[in-house]
Amino acid sequence: MTAGTFGDLTGDWDYGTLPANVRIGRDCWLERKACFARFRSTKDPGLVLGDRVRVYTWATFNVEPGGAVEVGDDSVLVGPVFMCAERITIGRRVVVSYHVTIADSDFHPIDPAERLKDAVANSPAGDRSTRPPYVSKPVEIGDDVWVGIGAIILKGVRIGRGARIGAGAVVTRDVPAGASVAGNPAVACPPGGAP
């Protein structure tokens, strides 16, 4: 491993090599520039990381040309995958664990006939410009939320301040402030229960 490669894995690299539409707050730390390998946003800004945000090695910003992600101050991204076609907003002091997926779109049509057209358009011999439209809806996660390992947060979901999302939960609908949810689909936990 060369010194340059080691720097790429430790956050000790030139942040000036990030895309021009990425805004990084004061005292941010990004462990690995490969987090941006699938960042294709043309919005300005396409990504905003607040002050003192920590982005660890498995985090991935898979952001489509029309997408934008914003992460509030003092948040910790241990290893989530952001799949963003429109908008994903993370509040302040949020902790998002390993293997969490946050998606604001299905990234394909739901109708079977349209799905087939989409598969053909995306094939190696296809024409991506002929892809049928798909639905996206912004995801909003409030301040002081904790999201457990392997949780999935789907399009259009709003998670209220201070909520707790259990490991492996599949969140398909809004979560009230202060609530704890777990399961597939995620449902409210009894008082004193998981997560």
Side-chain angles (χ1 to χ4, degrees):
M1 179 178 289
T2 68
T5 304
F6 183 73
D8 290 349
L9 296 174
T10 63
D12 187 25
W13 45 276
D14 177 11
Y15 288 17
T17 61
L18 288 173
N21 60 343
V22 172
R23 307 285 183 269
I24 297 177
R26 190 177 65 250
D27 300 321
C28 256
W29 187 77
L30 308 169
E31 188 168 17
R32 184 174 67 110
K33 69 180 173 183
C35 294
F36 300 95
R38 296 194 47 84
F39 181 82
R40 299 174 303 284
S41 177
T42 58
K43 294 217 169 198
D44 194 6
L47 173 64
V48 176
L49 299 176
D51 295 342
R52 298 169 302 281
V53 171
R54 298 288 183 251
V55 180
Y56 290 95
T57 194
W58 292 283
T60 302
F61 295 97
N62 185 356
V63 183
E64 296 290 315
V69 175
E70 183 174 350
V71 179
D73 297 345
D74 301 302
S75 290
V76 178
L77 308 176
V78 179
V81 175
F82 292 93
M83 298 178 63
C84 179
E86 186 176 335
R87 183 154 196 82
I88 296 173
T89 306
I90 308 290
R92 295 177 174 169
R93 299 171 304 278
V94 174
V95 177
V96 185
S97 193
Y98 295 96
H99 304 295
V100 170
T101 299
I102 303 171
D104 70 356
S105 174
D106 298 320
F107 293 94
H108 57 74
I110 302 300
D111 177 76
E114 293 295 298
R115 182 79 187 262
L116 180 59
K117 288 180 191 174
D118 191 55
V120 170
N122 276 317
S123 72
D127 177 2
R128 291 193 67 151
S129 69
T130 64
R131 289 187 71 187
Y134 52 81
V135 176
S136 63
K137 294 179 184 174
V139 172
E140 296 178 27
I141 299 176
D143 296 343
D144 303 305
V145 171
W146 294 357
V147 183
I149 296 170
I152 299 171
I153 300 170
L154 297 177
K155 71 178 185 281
V157 167
R158 291 181 181 184
I159 298 175
R161 181 185 187 122
R164 302 294 183 254
I165 311 302
V170 178
V171 185
T172 60
R173 60 184 62 158
D174 293 354
V175 176
S180 292
V181 299
N184 179 6
V187 294
C189 297

